[in-house]
Amino acid sequence: MTASVKISLPNGLNYDQPTGLFIDNKFIAGNGEKFTVYNPATEEEIITLQGASEADIDKAVAAARRAFEGEWSELETKDRGALIYKLAELIERDRKLLASIDSFDNGKSFADAYGLDLLESYNVFRYYAGTADKIMGKTIETGPTKLAYVLQEPLGVCGQIIPWNYPFMMLAWKIAPALACGNTVVLKPAEQTPLSALYFGNLVAEAGFPPGVVNIVPGLGGVAGKALASHMDVDKIAFTGSTATGKAIMKSAASNLKNITLECGGKSPCIIFDDADLDQAVKWSHGGIMDNMGQVCTSTSRICVQDTIYDKFLEKFTQRTKELASKIGDPFHEDTYQGPQVSKAQFDRVLGYIEEGKKSGARLLHGGAKHGDKGYFIQPTIFADTTEDMKIVKEEIFGPVVAISKFSTEAEAIAKANDTSYGLAAAVFTQRVARAHKVARKLQAGMVFINSSGDSHFGIPFGGYKSSGIGRELGQYALDAYTQSKAVHINLGTEL
Ligand code: NAD
């Protein structure tokens, strides 16, 4: 057993933070590069961890392989489901602690971490616990002398690489379906937010999973992540993060032609027609970009408003932004809406885009600078009159920065919305049902929100078109992503 470190959280909770790698149900020392985890609200160091080296990844993959070929595959599916259900119960039991840990190293408000992320996380485990004994094959009629049936089998060892914007929830989205389908996993959390994933190792052991079924390997993307993605004994790689890293992972995964699921970035449009309920459109489009400090892959960061209501919309949107800008601060304060960006790197990156926006000729309506003297806080920033050639319109900023422009016709709105290499999500605000459906069909996006934003549900597929990714997570779709089909042909006849 490696050491753990006692951590006192800002809300008074104390706990033992494991500091090693979780392999074979034990915490062992990592041998890779060290990295430091910070509290982005104060810029103070929380802990320095030793990440996984390439050899450590070999160890984790070997443990996952042993488990896959051993006890885990022998379990009846109802028992597999029961273990996953137990995990859901333990997550619910430790919900407050896990939410506090995510708020501490990520900077998101405790209210969101508790009310959204952790609630979703144990519900995802419960959902997939129920699917473990409902993964069905098929029989297919071909004629009287042959019988063919299709088995839906697990893939084997799944490597999973997750980002920092929803630390625990991304773990839940990845691990729960993989286990339900009978796979074993090696998961690498983001280096900015590895703490709740490591703590989760305790829960895996407590639930009674056989050793090696779940392994958690914190470490650097270019070392631990790369080693996992290129490993010759890993059967699948599932990734959420930037499109650039998604492309690198795809290359690494080519080593043994791994099955891949990529959930990458976005620059999602939000179209507001003049027949929309304007107050609702303001409320949802504001949340669509400003929630979670703009660090959401489905953020609707490009708002396109019909010219007839453009000025009115700008006035109301700026007013709402002003009101909620008064709630920037300590993530643990119950009234906080906006915490800091996750890291110094993201803080600098977002401020860089804001400067770029100012130079581009866009009209700055709100914000445009950092907030306060300590912590990675950024004023919610609104740029109006933006054009498609601007960097702040083309590139994913992943911060509280919105680009607003106007259109006059429905065709123009659709063309603007689709004028991007991304295709994750899109929002449409209109009271006309026929228009909503018509526009939804024309949008090149994996998810469309009608009169809302940022929707997701564990029963509904999540993923993108174009450069926003490959494959789908959640719902029954994830069961396809974590299984493979085996066709068995039986000859029932005796004649050639
Ligand atoms: P990233 O894509 O670099 O990191 C995500 C994960 O991939 C982390 O666990 C990281 O360690 C790992 N990783 C990095 N390089 C790797 C490699 N070569 N091989 C294997 N794994 C690797 O994201 P980031 O640098 O933390 O953030 C940069 C940008 O990514 C953000 O500004 C945002 O645009 C985007 N992002 C998107 C999402 C999303 O949900 N779609 C989440 C986080 C970040």
Side-chain angles (χ1 to χ4, degrees):
M1 278 277 179
T2 47
S4 59
V5 168
K6 287 216 175 302
I7 288 194
S8 297
L9 294 159
N11 58 357
L13 289 182
N14 298 302
Y15 77 105
D16 289 324
Q17 173 63 52
T19 55
L21 317 176
F22 182 74
I23 297 177
D24 261 338
N25 278 5
K26 291 190 289 279
F27 287 99
I28 62 164
N31 297 296
E33 279 177 56
K34 288 185 175 166
F35 63 98
T36 301
V37 182
Y38 294 90
N39 174 351
T42 61
E43 303 179 34
E44 283 160 13
E45 189 176 323
I46 297 175
I47 197 169
T48 294
L49 297 174
Q50 191 139 18
S53 64
E54 269 188 51
D56 293 328
I57 296 297
D58 286 343
K59 222 180 273 174
V61 171
R65 177 61 58 194
R66 274 194 304 278
F68 180 71
E69 286 173 1
E71 208 181 328
W72 187 237
S73 298
E74 301 301 318
L75 272 188
E76 286 197 23
T77 52
K78 71 171 172 33
D79 298 328
R80 204 201 280 162
L83 278 172
I84 300 169
Y85 197 87
K86 175 79 182 158
L87 209 39
E89 288 186 311
L90 296 178
I91 295 166
E92 186 171 11
R93 180 196 71 190
D94 289 352
R95 176 182 180 182
K96 186 169 179 196
L97 176 62
L98 287 163
S100 307
I101 298 172
D102 273 4
S103 177
F104 194 38
D105 64 5
N106 170 280
K108 65 172 61 206
S109 78
F110 170 76
D112 276 359
Y114 185 83
L116 300 173
D117 299 21
L118 262 297
L119 177 70
E120 163 93 2
S121 298
Y122 61 72
N123 278 326
V124 167
F125 275 97
R126 286 218 172 102
Y127 177 88
Y128 285 107
T131 64
D133 57 4
K134 296 171 197 68
I135 293 165
M136 288 176 230
K138 285 184 178 138
T139 57
I140 300 171
E141 276 304 321
T142 57
T145 59
K146 293 277 172 80
L147 171 69
Y149 64 89
V150 181
L151 295 170
Q152 212 54 34
E153 297 190 334
L155 295 164
V157 175
C158 297
Q160 304 184 318
I161 299 175
I162 58 171
W164 41 258
N165 53 343
Y166 290 93
F168 199 81
M169 200 175 97
M170 287 297 104
L171 171 152
W173 283 24
K174 294 267 182 297
I175 290 186
L179 295 183
C181 294
N183 301 284
T184 56
V185 305
V186 178
L187 177 133
K188 194 200 87 59
E191 40 277 65
Q192 297 84 350
T193 56
L195 302 184
S196 60
L198 272 177
Y199 180 88
F200 174 74
N202 291 325
L203 305 186
V204 170
E206 185 180 344
F209 278 82
V213 173
V214 176
N215 306 278
I216 311 287
V217 287
L220 302 184
V223 181
K226 194 170 177 196
L228 191 56
S230 55
H231 203 287
M232 295 302 284
D233 201 29
V234 169
D235 301 293
K236 178 187 176 96
I237 198 86
F239 163 78
T240 298
S242 62
T243 295
T245 305
K247 287 180 183 172
I249 284 178
M250 207 168 165
K251 278 193 192 139
S252 301
S255 60
N256 60 339
L257 216 63
K258 285 179 187 64
N259 178 306
I260 50 173
T261 302
L262 303 176
E263 202 276 279
C264 299
K267 190 74 190 177
S268 299
C270 171
I271 302 174
I272 301 177
F273 287 104
D274 61 5
D275 57 44
D277 176 327
L278 193 57
D279 289 333
Q280 286 297 312
V282 168
K283 180 185 128 194
W284 286 100
S285 61
H286 175 274
I289 175 60
M290 300 301 177
D291 284 359
N292 209 41
M293 290 69 75
Q295 300 169 150
V296 186
C297 50
T298 54
S299 281
T300 34
S301 49
R302 292 185 293 136
I303 302 181
C304 313
V305 186
Q306 198 147 23
D307 47 11
T308 39
I309 55 163
Y310 186 67
D311 292 336
K312 191 86 201 139
F313 176 84
L314 289 182
E315 190 191 313
K316 284 182 175 255
F317 191 91
T318 307
Q319 183 55 33
R320 182 161 179 86
T321 304
K322 249 184 214 147
E323 280 159 24
L324 284 165
S326 65
K327 295 173 181 242
I328 303 181
D330 176 6
F332 283 92
H333 191 286
E334 61 180 24
D335 209 28
T336 292
Y337 169 68
Q338 185 184 329
Q341 305 310 121
V342 72
S343 64
K344 171 92 169 70
Q346 283 301 112
F347 175 76
D348 290 341
R349 194 169 171 270
V350 175
L351 288 176
Y353 274 111
I354 289 175
E355 289 314 309
E356 179 71 36
K358 288 179 190 168
K359 276 189 253 154
S360 69
R363 181 155 56 107
L364 181 66
L365 290 185
H366 190 275
K370 65 178 189 160
H371 168 91
D373 295 326
K374 203 160 195 212
Y376 306 129
F377 297 93
I378 292 181
Q379 296 170 0
T381 297
I382 307 172
F383 285 108
D385 307 345
T386 57
T387 51
E388 269 57 55
D389 56 327
M390 293 176 184
K391 221 169 167 186
I392 56 164
V393 176
K394 281 174 162 353
E395 296 181 14
E396 183 179 42
I397 299 176
F398 228 60
V401 182
V402 68
I404 309 181
S405 63
K406 64 173 125 175
F407 67 88
S408 52
T409 65
E410 190 178 287
E412 193 192 337
I414 293 165
K416 272 166 95 74
N418 289 337
D419 187 9
T420 168
S421 57
Y422 291 111
L424 194 54
V428 183
F429 289 84
T430 175
Q431 306 243 46
R432 285 166 55 188
V433 175
R435 167 178 267 172
H437 287 296
K438 183 177 157 205
V439 175
R441 285 175 67 89
K442 296 210 164 166
L443 289 169
Q444 296 158 359
M447 291 163 278
V448 178
F449 315 124
I450 308 286
N451 294 327
S452 76
S453 61
D455 284 322
S456 93
H457 183 278
F458 45 82
I460 308 289
F462 189 102
Y465 282 19
K466 303 200 284 191
S467 291
S468 287
I470 296 178
R472 294 292 177 271
E473 299 196 289
L474 297 181
Q476 301 296 301
Y477 291 74
L479 302 180
D480 289 338
Y482 283 103
T483 55
Q484 54 194 338
S485 307
K486 178 185 281 173
V488 181
H489 297 261
I490 303 171
N491 183 10
L492 302 174
T494 51
E495 290 163 21
L496 282 178

